Amino acid sequence: MSLRHKAFSAAFAAIAATGADRWGRGLAQGKGAILTLHHVRPAAAGGFHPNGLLEITPDFLDRALTLIRAEGYDIVSLDEALTRLADPEPGRFFVALTFDDGYRDNLDHAWPVLAKHQAPWTLYVVRGFAERTARLWWLELEEAIRALPRISVELPDGRFDAPTGTYAEKQTAFDRLYWRLRKGPEAILLSAISELTTQAGIDPAALVERECLPTETLRSLAGAPGVTIGAHTLSHPMLAKHAEEVARREIVESKAWLEEAMEAPIRHFAYPVGDPGSAGPREFALAKEAGFASAVTTRPGHLFARHAEHLYALPRVSLNGLHQSEAALKALLSGLPFLLWNRGQRLNLD
């Protein structure tokens, strides 16, 4: 675990130890929270696992839902969350559960736990993952570094070269290259990672087949009680890095495709990656223009009354695989970490 995440763990423990997760609720909690999840599956073996923050175990999901209900909170659908957000009267704190990308383990490991707790949930679907035409580039990067004893790739700002013989070297190389690529154009990111997958003999389409639910399964899931299907673009691009016509197509056509494929209205949207470098005011306007009822970011925070006026820039709370503890969950549900992160601001729209 990095020093940054060790600091987060210490902060979560301090909040829980001092009882601040209870006395700070009135100050920081707001009306509710939308949780972000990706993978739910049994814990992986130790070693190199740089995308581990994107997955939690079924046991932790079970404990999390038990704790949410034990705290007296309601678990609601996204539609119900919007209704409560618009209600000027105070009500019970609510939690909405959202899962990004459409992974197989959401069906295999998350759904049984959700059904046990009668918890509604939303699954945001990428057409290209369902049809095996888009790329899980962050997983490609992980698999390439896992396979190679050294990585070397030419970039516009200079060659990146690093040893990857040990777990520590692999983690350092992943962190350095990942963030260097994230800062630049997406085309360069995809090209560089393609070069590495070629060197490692990795088939990107096979990774998508292994990890993601196909369209036919999603269609059968769409009519299940408590399940809401939402759109997550055609190909999972960082929308703000692309021209407006590209971003509009990714948003509008993902809605149209899903409505035809699922034979149902699609009301909710999630921005891929979802940070300020991936989605901003232009994308918020495009999601509204497309006719969605809501759109979620990955900007960290709880929902306050004023978010009813900003339904296309809703914050979420990540259930991070590096912090699968009751102390972390209590701290996150208190809202206090986000009050500090957002420097006292309840809206984070920039």
Side-chain angles (χ1 to χ4, degrees):
M1 185 183 294
S2 68
L3 290 175
R4 179 168 175 260
H5 283 286
K6 288 179 180 178
F8 287 160
S9 290
F12 295 152
I15 288 172
T18 60
D21 57 298
R22 291 190 174 277
W23 57 254
R25 289 178 182 177
L27 175 67
Q29 195 171 53
K31 295 174 76 79
I34 303 172
L35 301 188
T36 310
L37 300 94
H38 289 83
H39 292 285
V40 178
R41 55 192 178 193
F48 176 61
H49 197 48
N51 289 306
L53 74 168
L54 297 178
E55 57 186 72
I56 64 170
T57 66
D59 176 68
F60 180 65
L61 178 60
D62 186 31
R63 289 186 287 124
L65 298 181
T66 298
L67 185 146
I68 289 168
R69 288 257 169 78
E71 292 289 315
Y73 305 147
D74 294 334
I75 302 174
V76 303
S77 68
L78 268 183
D79 285 326
E80 175 64 17
L82 298 188
T83 298
R84 294 193 183 197
L85 193 57
D87 189 345
E89 297 298 321
R92 287 181 16 142
F93 185 80
F94 63 84
V95 173
L97 305 169
T98 62
F99 295 74
D100 287 10
D101 299 338
Y103 295 115
R104 291 183 184 273
D105 55 65
N106 295 170
L107 184 61
D108 296 338
H109 297 293
W111 200 14
V113 178
L114 295 161
K116 170 187 171 182
H117 289 269
Q118 297 184 315
W121 55 294
T122 294
L123 181 66
Y124 291 115
V125 173
V126 176
R127 178 179 184 175
F129 293 161
E131 295 185 337
R132 290 31 181 159
T133 58
R135 293 173 54 189
L136 295 163
W137 56 261
W138 54 97
L139 181 57
E140 293 176 26
L141 180 60
E142 175 180 334
E143 295 290 350
I145 291 177
R146 177 176 287 111
L148 295 169
R150 186 175 196 90
I151 61 171
S152 183
V153 62
E154 190 65 50
L155 300 174
D157 57 350
R159 175 165 288 276
F160 180 90
D161 190 271
T164 51
T166 67
Y167 289 148
E169 287 174 342
K170 291 180 187 296
Q171 185 66 58
T172 298
F174 182 95
D175 290 341
R176 287 176 54 211
L177 183 55
Y178 176 92
W179 288 112
R180 183 166 162 182
L181 292 173
R182 274 283 303 274
K183 292 176 182 177
E186 192 160 19
I188 292 173
L189 177 150
L190 294 173
S191 176
I193 295 176
S194 286
E195 184 176 336
L196 291 174
T197 58
T198 298
Q199 292 174 21
I202 291 166
D203 180 0
L207 294 181
V208 180
E209 175 65 30
R210 185 186 81 190
E211 297 292 336
C212 297
L213 293 164
T215 305
E216 314 83 71
T217 305
L218 291 166
R219 186 178 294 116
S220 63
L221 185 61
V227 180
T228 297
I229 300 294
H232 199 31
T233 70
L234 298 174
S235 63
H236 203 274
M238 289 175 272
L239 292 166
K241 291 179 177 284
H242 295 269
E244 182 171 335
E245 59 268 25
V246 174
R248 177 179 283 107
R249 174 177 170 271
E250 287 277 347
I251 294 170
V252 172
E253 293 189 16
S254 67
K255 186 178 193 293
W257 172 77
L258 262 181
E259 290 184 333
E260 181 178 357
M262 303 297 117
E263 299 180 345
I266 301 298
R267 290 173 41 79
H268 305 286
F269 181 78
Y271 306 101
V273 183
D275 66 341
S278 305
R282 185 192 71 177
E283 287 67 43
F284 305 157
L286 290 174
K288 181 178 181 179
E289 176 187 300
F292 288 104
S294 77
V296 295
T297 70
T298 57
R299 288 165 170 78
H302 281 206
L303 300 173
F304 295 88
R306 286 186 59 201
H307 280 108
E309 303 167 11
H310 301 279
L311 296 178
Y312 305 95
L314 295 177
R316 288 192 287 176
V317 174
S318 176
L319 284 195
N320 189 303
L322 302 181
H323 304 286
Q324 299 184 64
S325 69
E326 184 175 302
L329 183 59
K330 285 183 174 181
L332 293 172
L333 292 174
S334 75
L336 284 173
F338 311 114
L339 190 69
L340 298 173
W341 181 275
N342 295 322
R343 299 178 182 179
Q345 295 186 20
R346 293 182 170 184
L347 296 183
N348 183 6
L349 306 176
D350 295 332

